[in-house]
Amino acid sequence: MPKLFSDPEAIAEDIIRDVGTNLVVGLPLGLGKANHVVNALYARAAADRSIKLTLFSALTLEKPRPASLLERRFIGPVIDRLFGGYPDLAYANALHAGELPPNIAVIEFFFLAGKWLHVPFAQEHYISANYTHASSYLLTRGLNVVTQLVAKRVVDGVTRYSLSCNTDTTLDILRARREGRASFKLIGQVNSELPFMPGAGDLPADEFSSVLESPATDFPLFAPPAEPVSDTKYAIGLHAASLVPDGGTLQIGIGQVGDALAQGLIVRHRDNAQFHAIMKRLAPGAAPAESGPFTKGLYGVSEMLIEAFLGLMDAGILKREVDGVVLHGAFFLGPKSFYRALREMPADQLVRIQMMPVSFTNQLYGEEDAKRRARVGARFVNTAMMATLMGATISDGLEDGQVVSGVGGQYNFVAQAFALEGARSVLALDATRQEGRKTLSNIRWNYGHQTIPRHLRDVFVTEYGVADVKGKSDAETIAAMLAVTDSRFQDELAAIAKDAGKLPKEFEISRSHRENFPERIAQALKPARDAGLLPSFPFGSDFDEVEQRLIPALQLLREAQRTPLLLPGLLWQGMTQPPDASALECLARLGLDHPTTFAERGYRALVNAALARSRGL
């Protein structure tokens, strides 16, 4: 049985006494980190330079750090409400400050997007790895400790622990230990908010060397609130929803695209006539490939379990069973409502969700015949930052070598799509992005970094449509990609392709794709938005009603700051148009109901105008 501790320093001391002073510690990706145990080990190593501590991890979660006055006033109370009791990871603070002791190393294979740009130590120690390879890299570095947040259950006096949110790599390295290929101590930290998930991650107590459990070390789970789904993301999600066949298999990732895709599938299933009407406005002249309601239903197999999957279950879409299971996942992360739904789900429903190792969800090796039978009609939907006209994908890094996030499971799912009959890899990206005051195309002629090479090109989706480029020639691929490119950049990109000899000189982009502008997308979606079919938060929100009204206004202000000529008009409108009752409530939320300084009076006017414009007044 494991040794039980209530004090983090005591469990850290026990680990060092058992393992020695050369600690190679595996931390689960994302939510499952045992923060108190990790911080205690960090403190011991920082105080004693004879201890060598290597932390191997991914997706270090950190509380938001607001910068401007408005950000601080808006997000500050949200941070207190959602993250107030979440213990910071000491190693992350040291990395940001450039103060990591020389005897401590932090190695990650996936970053929280953009958080470690231009942080030299993090960039230097990043390992580029497919998600399925991470566990083997851990083992080759001499892993001797794994610390993990766990859920606890006692039935008939017998204690069991659930790996819950992170079966991903832990189950794979536990298998290696059983097979004699690894030797490490598994350390648990009990968390009362963590759902006890059934399945392969439901472990007997004797799998653990020691466990930390105490009211003093219990903490609220990291719960990033859902972001509002923009028109761009809804358009992308709806196009992707038109590619999913009834009776098929679905994988989706976190974020607005995943929420938009799931909501698009729900509209398609529950109000099929409205789905057809939306798609006709969104892509006139292009009938959706898949558009009917779901009779057979879908089976989900996804490295990440997100709240949208629960929405698909509730809607009767995610219902195709594989051995009694409708969804296999490897890790989860989401808002508080998501964790609560899992904790409170009836046992006969929860058992239909099984947490598995990432080697199961992300690849076909091992029980391949059964996986092939299960994963019919598979659609693997993931996001990208950029793509080239010839079908290469940029998802994880920049051409100067800086890592934005990581490869994660993206290559795994692209490879599966090519290995499974009838499967498709769907890579979604916004057609444009803002850099300062400039609008740039995310579809490029070329780029100095690639995540997925062009010989694995399949399906790309932007807000302007679907580019099916699998098995197409370079010229056919370029033409298809130009059709989903923002029209402000089509001519320039077409000219480059022609000059390079990859597109016929006489080629012309069809008139039906010459109206690829954001305004057309907004107009196409407006009737469905107004009818409540495409809500900003399709699966609920941890933001209160006032905060939800403020979000689009603050986004409008952020966009206006990139185009300073818009600011005087906003300022004048806000000063001359008195705020209504709704606006006054929002201004009070930001502490701008009674401004006392010149800066506050300016912010009040800008926010007042942005609130009016975001509501169409």
Side-chain angles (χ1 to χ4, degrees):
M1 296 298 292
K3 291 178 277 188
L4 302 180
F5 292 85
S6 60
D7 178 62
E9 287 71 26
I11 200 171
E13 189 64 37
D14 185 74
I15 292 169
I16 295 168
R17 188 164 48 247
D18 271 1
V19 177
T21 56
N22 185 15
L23 300 171
V24 182
V25 183
L27 317 181
L29 172 149
L31 186 63
K33 291 178 175 58
N35 290 30
H36 287 91
V37 179
V38 176
N39 284 348
L41 288 172
Y42 179 90
R44 284 285 284 110
D48 183 352
R49 299 300 168 88
S50 70
I51 298 172
K52 183 181 179 182
L53 175 62
T54 301
L55 301 174
F56 192 103
S57 184
L59 199 64
T60 293
L61 301 174
E62 299 180 90
K63 300 173 187 174
R65 292 178 174 154
S68 69
L69 180 144
L70 286 184
E71 283 184 6
R72 289 194 299 273
R73 292 190 178 184
F74 174 74
I75 204 69
V78 177
I79 293 172
D80 291 341
R81 188 170 74 243
L82 300 183
F83 306 105
Y86 183 79
D88 292 331
L89 287 158
Y91 73 79
N93 293 334
L95 277 172
H96 282 298
E99 297 174 351
L100 197 71
N103 58 319
I104 300 176
V106 179
I107 301 169
E108 295 201 80
F109 70 89
F110 197 95
F111 291 151
L112 194 61
K115 290 296 184 181
W116 298 101
L117 285 170
H118 309 297
V119 179
F121 190 97
Q123 292 288 329
E124 292 165 11
H125 289 77
Y126 167 79
I127 290 180
S128 186
N130 290 328
Y131 202 171
T132 51
H133 297 163
S135 59
S136 65
Y137 295 166
L138 265 169
L139 298 178
T140 58
R141 286 179 175 264
L143 174 76
N144 52 29
V145 178
V146 174
T147 63
Q148 173 136 1
L149 210 62
V150 295
K152 177 185 175 183
R153 175 176 290 170
V154 180
V155 179
D156 297 329
V158 178
T159 299
R160 296 187 68 88
Y161 297 102
S162 169
L163 298 178
S164 189
C165 56
N166 282 92
T167 50
D168 47 353
T169 55
T170 307
L171 283 178
D172 283 329
I173 60 176
L174 281 172
R175 183 178 68 248
R177 188 172 74 172
R178 287 195 302 273
E179 295 171 352
R181 296 184 289 113
S183 178
F184 58 87
K185 304 289 185 182
L186 179 59
I187 313 298
Q189 178 177 342
V190 174
N191 185 281
S192 64
E193 288 195 5
L194 206 58
F196 196 102
M197 302 298 292
D202 180 351
L203 301 178
D206 60 11
E207 289 275 14
F208 294 81
S209 298
S210 55
V211 173
L212 175 68
E213 182 178 9
S214 166
T217 58
D218 203 13
F219 59 86
L221 295 174
F222 193 94
E227 295 181 85
V229 181
S230 66
D231 284 342
T232 295
K233 294 300 195 294
Y234 256 129
I236 292 171
L238 286 159
H239 285 304
S242 72
L243 300 173
V244 180
D246 185 23
T249 303
L250 183 64
Q251 177 265 327
I252 51 179
I254 194 172
Q256 294 181 54
V257 169
D259 288 351
L261 166 58
Q263 183 62 17
L265 291 171
I266 290 170
V267 173
R268 172 181 153 186
H269 181 63
R270 288 179 169 170
D271 200 335
N272 197 249
Q274 283 284 7
F275 179 79
H276 279 269
I278 296 168
M279 296 309 299
K280 187 174 182 179
R281 291 191 300 269
L282 197 57
E290 303 285 348
S291 61
F294 292 90
T295 304
K296 299 175 185 177
L298 301 177
Y299 157 64
V301 58
S302 183
E303 65 180 24
M304 188 167 191
L305 165 59
I306 60 173
E307 192 171 26
F309 277 117
L310 301 190
L312 292 174
M313 289 178 68
D314 291 341
I317 295 172
L318 202 67
K319 63 181 180 182
R320 182 171 73 83
E321 293 189 354
V322 173
D323 298 326
V325 177
V326 298
L327 176 61
H328 283 111
F331 79 97
F332 61 72
L333 176 68
K336 287 185 176 295
S337 58
F338 175 48
Y339 305 144
R340 183 170 58 252
L342 290 174
R343 287 196 306 269
E344 297 175 357
M345 188 175 290
D348 62 336
Q349 291 298 311
L350 189 61
V351 76
R352 301 174 77 211
I353 301 172
Q354 294 281 310
M355 301 300 292
M356 302 293 286
V358 72
S359 59
F360 176 89
T361 58
N362 286 34
Q363 63 187 16
L364 297 177
Y365 312 123
E367 302 179 356
E368 183 171 339
D369 289 345
K371 289 179 180 179
R372 286 184 179 277
R373 287 193 300 271
R375 298 176 191 187
V376 296
R379 297 296 181 265
F380 302 106
V381 184
N382 294 283
T383 57
M385 298 189 301
M386 292 176 279
T388 70
L389 277 183
M390 288 193 284
T393 306
I394 302 95
S395 302
D396 68 314
L398 307 178
E399 57 187 349
D400 65 358
Q402 289 286 305
V403 180
V404 176
S405 54
V407 178
Q410 186 165 110
Y411 173 80
N412 294 145
F413 291 116
V414 171
Q416 277 196 74
F418 276 83
L420 288 167
E421 185 177 353
R424 305 304 298 267
S425 162
V426 180
L427 292 176
L429 69 154
D430 293 6
T432 63
R433 71 183 185 279
Q434 289 295 133
E435 282 192 6
R437 301 178 186 179
K438 291 184 178 180
T439 301
L440 302 177
S441 176
N442 282 330
I443 296 178
R444 311 274 299 247
W445 169 241
N446 55 23
Y447 195 72
H449 171 76
Q450 294 179 2
T451 310
I452 307 297
R454 67 174 179 162
H455 67 268
L456 293 177
R457 59 197 182 200
D458 195 344
V459 176
F460 290 92
V461 176
T462 75
E463 61 267 38
Y464 300 120
V466 176
D468 184 343
V469 297
K470 187 174 185 179
K472 301 292 177 66
S473 70
D474 281 354
E476 290 170 327
T477 297
I478 291 168
M481 294 298 284
L482 285 169
V484 298
T485 297
D486 190 287
S487 290
R488 290 168 288 183
F489 304 96
Q490 287 173 328
D491 288 337
E492 178 187 356
L493 288 168
I496 295 172
K498 290 177 181 180
D499 289 344
K502 302 298 289 187
L503 197 62
K505 295 292 185 183
E506 65 275 12
F507 172 82
E508 291 186 6
I509 299 167
S510 68
R511 292 183 62 185
S512 60
H513 299 300
R514 281 296 197 173
E515 296 298 320
N516 290 355
F517 297 108
E519 297 78 14
R520 182 180 71 78
I521 299 302
Q523 291 169 5
L525 296 181
K526 189 175 188 304
R529 287 280 209 179
D530 292 345
L533 295 170
L534 304 176
S536 294
F537 297 94
F539 303 106
S541 175
D542 286 329
F543 293 112
D544 63 32
E545 290 185 7
V546 174
E547 290 162 351
Q548 290 183 39
R549 291 201 300 272
L550 273 167
I551 287 171
L554 296 179
Q555 288 175 333
L556 190 153
L557 271 182
R558 189 181 301 118
E559 292 168 7
Q561 288 171 344
R562 299 189 185 111
T563 311
L565 292 177
L566 296 177
L567 290 176
L570 280 171
L571 191 62
W572 177 254
Q573 179 181 344
M575 294 176 68
T576 56
Q577 178 178 313
D580 59 19
S582 175
L584 282 172
E585 192 175 13
C586 293
L587 291 168
R589 169 64 175 74
L590 297 176
L592 297 174
D593 46 340
H594 299 292
T596 59
T597 66
F598 180 78
E600 285 186 341
R601 287 192 289 274
Y603 277 126
R604 174 188 169 92
L606 289 171
V607 172
N608 180 37
L611 284 164
R613 292 195 186 184
S614 65
R615 287 183 291 148
L617 301 178

